[in-house]
Amino acid sequence: MTSKQLQGGPIAARLERDDGGALTTRRRDTGAPAAIRSPEPHEREVSCAPPQAVDARDELRAGLTAPAAFVSSKYFYDPLGSRLFDAITRLPEYYLTRIETGIFARHGHDIGRTAGRGGTLIDLGAGNCEKAQRLFGVLQPQQYVAVDISAEYLRDALKGLRFLYPSMDMLALGQDLAKPLLLPDAVRRGKRLFFYPGSSIGNFTPEQAEDFLRGLHGQCSEDGGLLIGVDLVKDKPVLDAAYDDALGVTAAFNLNLLNQVNVILGSSFDVNDWQHRAFFDPRLSRVEMHLQARRTVRVTWPGGARTFEAGERIHTENSYKYRLADFEAMLSRVGYSAVTAWTDERQWYAVLHARA
Ligand code: AVI
């Protein structure tokens, strides 16, 4: 394994070659992989490292000791959580992925014509990179940039893609999308198409979503754009079931968060003490997920503790649902123009393209 210090970044990282030959930056503070890219004949260092995050332990302690306890939904995505999420997308109740895939399959050529070919496809929350890969044919990107908080998970996905598309320039970045997006110099400037599928925008508050979209707009030249999937408002029973499925996969996904908190914080959560709760609140137009204490539970961690009364909850996720016209208006407000939307017959879900 070769190792080399990166110069001058806001966070110290080292560049290593892993066993598969991919380049990986590892954060010096946690040792976690931060960015991976496919090896190229013309090797250039990835000069980007994620901004110094507020220490995860501080963030978790603050959430767990808040009067209404909360844990950020970004902690769902450890290797097991990422796989559980993948299983969620295959559930009969979780229509989002299926409908979105159908829209891409049915309108792919139109989407390709609207978004334009070539350029750089920047896949935000890439996961297993499957969704972007399905668009490679119609978008024919020159460069593919996969961004996800779980860089470990990206590494495997990218390995496969490198073999299938050897001439495509590929880069993987481990970044927390809740923080301002930092793109390294290796990401080409012209014709950037930000791809944000899966209605992940719904996991931000509407205010955060607007800021996030404004930030993306600011990182595009005029020939750039945005291709985004958005879940739309619909009947409560449909939404309730999508986040509380009969097999209990979403419950496992939610509960696994506690295992992840234990790993990071050294806390004493026992998943048996907690119950999955999920429901659509039409007033706030969002599905809320919580973990509810089954009994009085005392949780400890180095330097702290909290007693949760029976029935008390930890808020773990919001998933906002939009009306199409409201989302289009948001895109216009942050500077996008020429918005095109594709939806399914029931208008449950929309894919939108907007020009920067
Ligand atoms: C990733 N995100 C868009 C999912 C959602 O629908 O909000 C996360 C999820 N939570 C429970 N099920 C799926």
Side-chain angles (χ1 to χ4, degrees):
M1 182 179 273
T2 58
S3 170
K4 190 170 172 188
Q5 300 301 326
L6 291 178
Q7 302 295 318
I11 182 174
R14 62 180 190 275
L15 194 66
E16 298 179 348
R17 192 175 294 279
D18 71 6
D19 297 343
L23 289 174
T24 303
T25 59
R26 284 182 189 276
R27 291 175 49 166
R28 221 193 264 155
D29 52 350
T30 61
I36 315 157
R37 72 186 170 86
S38 52
E40 293 274 332
H42 51 287
E43 291 292 1
R44 292 155 298 165
E45 277 191 356
V46 174
S47 58
C48 168
Q52 180 69 65
V54 178
D55 183 75
R57 284 173 302 243
D58 288 344
E59 190 178 46
L60 289 172
R61 277 190 291 259
L64 290 173
T65 54
F70 65 92
V71 173
S72 165
S73 58
K74 73 183 175 198
Y75 294 106
F76 283 134
Y77 301 95
D78 69 346
L80 176 59
S82 295
R83 281 165 179 80
L84 286 168
F85 178 66
D86 193 45
I88 287 174
T89 65
R90 294 156 206 261
L91 292 170
E93 296 94 334
Y94 196 78
Y95 58 84
L96 289 80
T97 315
R98 226 175 359 268
I99 295 183
E100 187 183 68
T101 305
I103 292 173
F104 283 130
R106 185 187 254 182
H107 301 288
H109 287 286
D110 198 18
I111 291 170
R113 259 195 308 276
T114 308
R117 289 165 189 248
T120 292
L121 181 63
I122 305 172
D123 187 0
L124 303 171
N128 58 15
C129 306
E130 230 176 67
K131 289 184 184 181
Q133 189 190 349
R134 280 195 224 111
L135 290 176
F136 282 0
V138 290
L139 296 175
Q140 299 190 356
Q142 290 177 358
Q143 187 183 40
Y144 172 59
V145 181
V147 185
D148 207 294
I149 193 155
S150 174
E152 196 86 55
Y153 197 54
L154 278 180
R155 174 167 37 199
D156 294 341
L158 220 73
K159 263 185 200 164
L161 279 185
R162 271 185 10 230
F163 284 108
L164 290 171
Y165 304 90
S167 62
M168 199 185 294
D169 186 18
M170 290 187 193
L171 173 71
L173 302 175
Q175 283 205 29
D176 175 2
L177 291 175
K179 306 273 181 324
L181 185 65
L182 257 193
L183 294 177
D185 295 340
V187 178
R188 298 176 196 179
R189 295 225 144 253
K191 208 158 187 231
R192 288 178 173 172
L193 178 64
F194 285 101
F195 180 47
Y196 201 35
S199 198
S200 294
I201 193 74
N203 297 132
F204 291 120
T205 65
E207 297 71 31
Q208 290 167 339
E210 195 159 327
D211 286 348
F212 179 77
L213 295 173
R214 189 174 287 111
L216 295 185
H217 182 265
Q219 300 208 42
C220 269
S221 48
E222 269 176 25
D223 56 357
L226 170 72
L227 184 61
I228 189 165
V230 183
D231 196 20
L232 303 176
V233 176
K234 61 189 63 63
D235 290 348
K236 181 173 164 60
V238 177
L239 286 165
D240 286 346
Y243 292 81
D244 194 3
D245 58 283
L247 282 177
V249 180
T250 310
F253 174 72
N254 198 9
L255 286 161
N256 179 58
L257 182 84
L258 298 178
N259 292 331
Q260 169 77 335
V261 173
N262 283 345
V263 168
I264 298 170
L265 194 56
S267 50
S268 64
F269 280 104
D270 179 344
V271 295
N272 295 298
D273 292 333
W274 299 86
Q275 207 173 2
H276 170 65
R277 286 277 177 256
F279 52 85
F280 179 58
D281 180 342
R283 213 172 34 88
L284 296 170
S285 199
R286 70 186 193 192
V287 174
E288 294 185 9
M289 291 215 313
H290 300 260
L291 289 163
Q292 183 171 312
R294 290 180 187 273
R295 51 193 80 83
T296 301
V297 181
R298 181 153 179 85
V299 181
T300 61
W301 55 85
R306 175 167 182 166
T307 300
F308 294 90
E309 300 303 332
E312 207 174 333
R313 289 173 177 171
I314 301 173
H315 194 159
T316 54
E317 187 177 61
N318 290 318
S319 194
Y320 282 85
K321 309 301 168 189
Y322 286 92
R323 292 182 199 286
L324 185 55
D326 292 342
F327 198 82
E328 288 173 338
M330 187 194 290
L331 289 173
S332 304
R333 275 201 301 281
V334 301
Y336 287 101
S337 59
V339 180
T340 311
W342 297 267
T343 61
D344 57 300
E345 310 75 47
R346 290 178 295 194
Q347 305 246 315
W348 276 12
Y349 195 91
V351 171
L352 299 100
H353 176 268
R355 281 189 208 295

